[in-house]
Amino acid sequence: MQGADVKLDGCKAMKDSADKQPVQVIAVSGGKGGTGKTNIAVNLSLSLAAEGRRTLLLDADLGMANVDVLLGLEAHTTLLDVLDGNCQLEEIILAGTDNLMVVPAASGTRQLANVGIKECAGLVRAFSDLKAPIDTLVIDTAAGISEVVTSFCSAATEIMVVVCNEPASLRDSAAQIQVLSSEYGLARFRILANMVRTAGEGHEVFRSIQGLTAENHNVLCSYAGFVPFDESLRKAVSQHQAVVSAFPRCRAAMAIRNLARRVITWPRPDRAGGHLEFFVERLIQNENINVEVLS
């Protein structure tokens, strides 16, 4: 078959599915609380949106949600309403800045904090029904290795582990990686060193995680970069703002924007992995279109 002999109906299918291409799904997680995980998720989402990526930010720190607070948004309905059957997922989505949408969770709610695997699976499947065109889904997970965390990490295409240069963060992050690998078969992790003083300290954090996970030969850790300690970030939080918006020229904001540009270059999935995944129907549809066009 010549290169020009592509089926017309295949081309039409590609055009019609332009807004249903595979979605880059990034779970932002960490072994313990206090590592700045939510700030990374929020500011990364804003930075991706500023780069033209249609971004959806999911607050999956169920029961301790505060993404909407950091963005200065007011949520009248949340994931709790979706789980209770009072509304559909698309009805609770909040509009942030241009290209950014937010799925809020409820804070201080025991019901959300204690959701199980079945409820998480239902939420993951609900994303496949969303009509809005999305390029990237960023998931702010809770810290640790609860069923909620492992469910959302397993359903993502990328897992970014946010680590600080302190013994508890290093130990707990390595433990989280070990559990996700040994019990859930996850192999690839991107390590982001947060609140470090220098670039060298960031690399030291990464090498520490590599050392702590070295015995597990199924684990592949790559360095996502570092975000420096910056008082501007604390000021932004106190003002209920994201640092990339409140102090765009500060060191932390510039580092996160650079992170966003690197994230855009990460490869998107091209096929379904055979397990529960966000937007799995889009992955399957993409496989079918590729087969139709190339056959």
Side-chain angles (χ1 to χ4, degrees):
M1 183 187 76
Q2 299 297 319
D5 293 336
V6 177
K7 293 181 181 179
L8 291 176
D9 56 344
C11 293
K12 181 178 185 300
M14 290 181 70
K15 182 178 184 298
D16 291 344
S17 65
D19 288 334
K20 291 189 177 182
Q21 290 299 302
V23 178
Q24 184 182 45
V25 183
I26 305 168
V28 181
S29 195
K32 68 179 291 293
T35 62
K37 170 184 58 59
T38 296
N39 268 306
I40 295 296
V42 168
N43 284 281
L44 174 61
S45 298
L46 281 167
S47 298
L48 288 169
E51 292 289 330
R53 301 280 284 196
R54 298 167 297 187
T55 305
L56 181 62
L57 172 58
L58 166 60
D59 191 345
D61 192 348
L62 307 182
M64 294 296 288
N66 55 12
V67 160
D68 52 331
V69 175
L70 285 175
L71 288 169
L73 301 174
E74 187 174 354
H76 298 289
T77 52
T78 68
L79 283 175
L80 181 59
D81 297 286
V82 176
L83 287 172
D84 284 343
N86 296 325
C87 58
Q88 300 296 312
L89 178 61
E90 61 186 359
E91 296 178 76
I92 71 169
I93 295 178
L94 301 175
T97 59
D98 290 343
N99 292 322
L100 178 64
M101 298 171 288
V102 179
V103 177
S107 181
T109 303
R110 182 180 296 275
Q111 183 178 343
L112 267 185
N114 295 328
V115 299
I117 294 177
K118 289 184 178 180
E119 289 86 356
C120 289
L123 289 175
V124 170
R125 294 191 185 98
F127 277 80
S128 290
D129 296 327
L130 291 178
K131 303 291 192 297
I134 299 166
D135 296 311
T136 306
L137 170 64
V138 177
I139 310 165
D140 177 31
T141 79
I145 51 175
S146 69
E147 288 185 347
V148 176
V149 173
T150 55
S151 294
F152 286 134
C153 285
S154 298
T157 54
E158 300 280 359
I159 303 171
M160 183 187 295
V161 183
V162 181
V163 190
C164 293
N165 192 16
E166 58 179 45
S169 177
L170 293 167
R171 182 190 64 239
D172 292 350
S173 294
Q176 182 189 44
I177 290 170
Q178 296 282 23
V179 169
L180 288 171
S181 171
S182 61
E183 297 186 18
Y184 296 88
L186 303 178
R188 297 186 304 109
F189 302 87
R190 298 188 186 267
I191 310 302
L192 181 71
N194 194 28
M195 297 187 287
V196 296
R197 299 286 179 176
T198 64
E201 186 181 351
H203 284 284
E204 180 183 335
V205 167
F206 176 60
R207 286 192 294 270
S208 296
I209 293 295
Q210 281 186 310
L212 290 167
T213 59
E215 292 185 2
N216 187 339
H217 299 295
N218 295 320
V219 168
L220 176 62
C221 293
S222 58
Y223 188 44
F226 76 97
V227 176
F229 176 84
D230 194 332
E231 285 292 345
S232 295
L233 195 145
R234 297 178 186 269
K235 293 178 183 177
V237 171
S238 68
Q239 298 172 13
H240 294 180
Q241 294 187 69
V243 72
V244 294
S245 301
F247 303 101
R249 301 296 297 271
C250 75
R251 294 178 66 219
M254 290 190 288
I256 295 172
R257 286 200 299 273
N258 286 334
L259 172 64
R261 296 184 186 108
R262 292 195 297 274
V263 166
I264 290 173
T265 68
W266 293 355
R268 292 200 201 187
D270 59 1
R271 65 190 65 235
H275 59 275
L276 183 67
E277 297 171 82
F278 284 98
F279 301 105
V280 69
E281 280 80 2
R282 296 194 190 189
L283 289 168
I284 295 171
Q285 182 184 50
N286 185 67
E287 288 183 63
N288 292 338
I289 289 172
N290 288 340
V291 169
E292 182 178 359
V293 171
L294 296 175
S295 62

mmCIF file of all heavy atoms in Angstrom, residues 102-122:
data_model
loop_
_atom_site.group_PDB
_atom_site.id
_atom_site.type_symbol
_atom_site.label_atom_id
_atom_site.label_comp_id
_atom_site.label_asym_id
_atom_site.label_seq_id
_atom_site.Cartn_x
_atom_site.Cartn_y
_atom_site.Cartn_z
ATOM 1 N N VAL A 102 -11.423 21.905 37.404
ATOM 2 C CA VAL A 102 -11.118 21.292 38.699
ATOM 3 C C VAL A 102 -12.270 20.405 39.147
ATOM 4 O O VAL A 102 -13.435 20.804 39.070
ATOM 5 C CB VAL A 102 -10.855 22.372 39.777
ATOM 6 C CG1 VAL A 102 -10.561 21.727 41.129
ATOM 7 C CG2 VAL A 102 -9.709 23.287 39.359
ATOM 8 N N VAL A 103 -11.925 19.197 39.597
ATOM 9 C CA VAL A 103 -12.902 18.297 40.218
ATOM 10 C C VAL A 103 -12.649 18.347 41.720
ATOM 11 O O VAL A 103 -11.650 17.815 42.212
ATOM 12 C CB VAL A 103 -12.751 16.856 39.707
ATOM 13 C CG1 VAL A 103 -13.741 15.932 40.423
ATOM 14 C CG2 VAL A 103 -12.956 16.787 38.204
ATOM 15 N N PRO A 104 -13.547 19.002 42.487
ATOM 16 C CA PRO A 104 -13.303 19.176 43.921
ATOM 17 C C PRO A 104 -13.779 17.987 44.756
ATOM 18 O O PRO A 104 -14.701 17.269 44.387
ATOM 19 C CB PRO A 104 -14.133 20.419 44.253
ATOM 20 C CG PRO A 104 -15.301 20.325 43.314
ATOM 21 C CD PRO A 104 -14.763 19.694 42.036
ATOM 22 N N ALA A 105 -13.102 17.793 45.878
ATOM 23 C CA ALA A 105 -13.545 16.815 46.876
ATOM 24 C C ALA A 105 -13.979 17.568 48.124
ATOM 25 O O ALA A 105 -13.746 18.771 48.253
ATOM 26 C CB ALA A 105 -12.416 15.836 47.201
ATOM 27 N N ALA A 106 -14.609 16.865 49.050
ATOM 28 C CA ALA A 106 -15.095 17.491 50.280
ATOM 29 C C ALA A 106 -14.063 17.304 51.388
ATOM 30 O O ALA A 106 -13.520 16.219 51.575
ATOM 31 C CB ALA A 106 -16.431 16.883 50.695
ATOM 32 N N SER A 107 -13.804 18.357 52.137
ATOM 33 C CA SER A 107 -12.820 18.291 53.206
ATOM 34 C C SER A 107 -13.474 17.936 54.538
ATOM 35 O O SER A 107 -14.577 18.391 54.849
ATOM 36 C CB SER A 107 -12.110 19.644 53.336
ATOM 37 O OG SER A 107 -11.133 19.588 54.342
ATOM 38 N N GLY A 108 -12.788 17.090 55.318
ATOM 39 C CA GLY A 108 -13.274 16.742 56.644
ATOM 40 C C GLY A 108 -14.478 15.832 56.637
ATOM 41 O O GLY A 108 -15.262 15.827 57.594
ATOM 42 N N THR A 109 -14.637 15.047 55.569
ATOM 43 C CA THR A 109 -15.796 14.169 55.448
ATOM 44 C C THR A 109 -15.358 12.719 55.599
ATOM 45 O O THR A 109 -14.593 12.203 54.781
ATOM 46 C CB THR A 109 -16.486 14.365 54.078
ATOM 47 O OG1 THR A 109 -16.843 15.742 53.935
ATOM 48 C CG2 THR A 109 -17.734 13.519 53.980
ATOM 49 N N ARG A 110 -15.846 12.050 56.635
ATOM 50 C CA ARG A 110 -15.439 10.676 56.902
ATOM 51 C C ARG A 110 -15.827 9.740 55.760
ATOM 52 O O ARG A 110 -15.083 8.817 55.417
ATOM 53 C CB ARG A 110 -16.068 10.190 58.208
ATOM 54 C CG ARG A 110 -15.657 8.775 58.599
ATOM 55 C CD ARG A 110 -16.313 8.375 59.905
ATOM 56 N NE ARG A 110 -15.863 9.195 61.005
ATOM 57 C CZ ARG A 110 -14.750 8.955 61.700
ATOM 58 N NH1 ARG A 110 -13.979 7.922 61.379
ATOM 59 N NH2 ARG A 110 -14.404 9.723 62.706
ATOM 60 N N GLN A 111 -16.990 9.987 55.158
ATOM 61 C CA GLN A 111 -17.454 9.099 54.087
ATOM 62 C C GLN A 111 -16.474 9.071 52.922
ATOM 63 O O GLN A 111 -16.184 8.016 52.364
ATOM 64 C CB GLN A 111 -18.841 9.541 53.604
ATOM 65 C CG GLN A 111 -19.430 8.620 52.518
ATOM 66 C CD GLN A 111 -20.821 9.067 52.100
ATOM 67 O OE1 GLN A 111 -21.475 9.835 52.797
ATOM 68 N NE2 GLN A 111 -21.267 8.588 50.944
ATOM 69 N N LEU A 112 -15.946 10.245 52.542
ATOM 70 C CA LEU A 112 -14.987 10.280 51.452
ATOM 71 C C LEU A 112 -13.639 9.708 51.874
ATOM 72 O O LEU A 112 -12.955 9.046 51.099
ATOM 73 C CB LEU A 112 -14.792 11.713 50.950
ATOM 74 C CG LEU A 112 -15.663 12.176 49.785
ATOM 75 C CD1 LEU A 112 -15.264 13.566 49.341
ATOM 76 C CD2 LEU A 112 -15.562 11.216 48.615
ATOM 77 N N ALA A 113 -13.257 9.970 53.110
ATOM 78 C CA ALA A 113 -11.966 9.484 53.593
ATOM 79 C C ALA A 113 -11.919 7.965 53.639
ATOM 80 O O ALA A 113 -10.835 7.373 53.562
ATOM 81 C CB ALA A 113 -11.673 10.057 54.973
ATOM 82 N N ASN A 114 -13.089 7.328 53.746
ATOM 83 C CA ASN A 114 -13.134 5.876 53.910
ATOM 84 C C ASN A 114 -13.670 5.139 52.689
ATOM 85 O O ASN A 114 -14.103 3.993 52.802
ATOM 86 C CB ASN A 114 -13.999 5.524 55.131
ATOM 87 C CG ASN A 114 -13.388 6.018 56.420
ATOM 88 O OD1 ASN A 114 -12.164 6.080 56.559
ATOM 89 N ND2 ASN A 114 -14.230 6.378 57.381
ATOM 90 N N VAL A 115 -13.647 5.771 51.521
ATOM 91 C CA VAL A 115 -14.143 5.072 50.329
ATOM 92 C C VAL A 115 -13.242 3.882 50.015
ATOM 93 O O VAL A 115 -12.043 3.883 50.315
ATOM 94 C CB VAL A 115 -14.225 6.014 49.105
ATOM 95 C CG1 VAL A 115 -15.177 7.150 49.359
ATOM 96 C CG2 VAL A 115 -12.850 6.521 48.707
ATOM 97 N N GLY A 116 -13.826 2.865 49.398
ATOM 98 C CA GLY A 116 -13.086 1.642 49.105
ATOM 99 C C GLY A 116 -12.731 1.510 47.645
ATOM 100 O O GLY A 116 -12.940 2.424 46.846
ATOM 101 N N ILE A 117 -12.234 0.331 47.298
ATOM 102 C CA ILE A 117 -11.774 0.077 45.941
ATOM 103 C C ILE A 117 -12.912 0.193 44.934
ATOM 104 O O ILE A 117 -12.741 0.732 43.837
ATOM 105 C CB ILE A 117 -11.121 -1.317 45.862
ATOM 106 C CG1 ILE A 117 -9.827 -1.351 46.691
ATOM 107 C CG2 ILE A 117 -10.827 -1.694 44.414
ATOM 108 C CD1 ILE A 117 -9.166 -2.701 46.726
ATOM 109 N N LYS A 118 -14.106 -0.320 45.283
ATOM 110 C CA LYS A 118 -15.224 -0.273 44.345
ATOM 111 C C LYS A 118 -15.627 1.161 44.018
ATOM 112 O O LYS A 118 -15.907 1.500 42.859
ATOM 113 C CB LYS A 118 -16.418 -1.039 44.915
ATOM 114 C CG LYS A 118 -16.223 -2.549 44.945
ATOM 115 C CD LYS A 118 -17.473 -3.250 45.434
ATOM 116 C CE LYS A 118 -17.299 -4.761 45.416
ATOM 117 N NZ LYS A 118 -18.508 -5.464 45.893
ATOM 118 N N GLU A 119 -15.668 2.008 45.059
ATOM 119 C CA GLU A 119 -16.027 3.410 44.821
ATOM 120 C C GLU A 119 -14.970 4.104 43.961
ATOM 121 O O GLU A 119 -15.302 4.886 43.063
ATOM 122 C CB GLU A 119 -16.187 4.156 46.138
ATOM 123 C CG GLU A 119 -17.421 3.765 46.951
ATOM 124 C CD GLU A 119 -17.174 2.556 47.832
ATOM 125 O OE1 GLU A 119 -16.070 1.969 47.762
ATOM 126 O OE2 GLU A 119 -18.078 2.196 48.598
ATOM 127 N N CYS A 120 -13.702 3.822 44.223
ATOM 128 C CA CYS A 120 -12.623 4.409 43.422
ATOM 129 C C CYS A 120 -12.723 3.960 41.968
ATOM 130 O O CYS A 120 -12.553 4.755 41.042
ATOM 131 C CB CYS A 120 -11.260 4.020 43.996
ATOM 132 S SG CYS A 120 -10.847 4.826 45.557
ATOM 133 N N ALA A 121 -13.013 2.684 41.776
ATOM 134 C CA ALA A 121 -13.156 2.163 40.419
ATOM 135 C C ALA A 121 -14.309 2.846 39.697
ATOM 136 O O ALA A 121 -14.206 3.167 38.505
ATOM 137 C CB ALA A 121 -13.375 0.656 40.456
ATOM 138 N N GLY A 122 -15.403 3.092 40.422
ATOM 139 C CA GLY A 122 -16.532 3.789 39.822
ATOM 140 C C GLY A 122 -16.174 5.201 39.395
ATOM 141 O O GLY A 122 -16.578 5.669 38.327
#
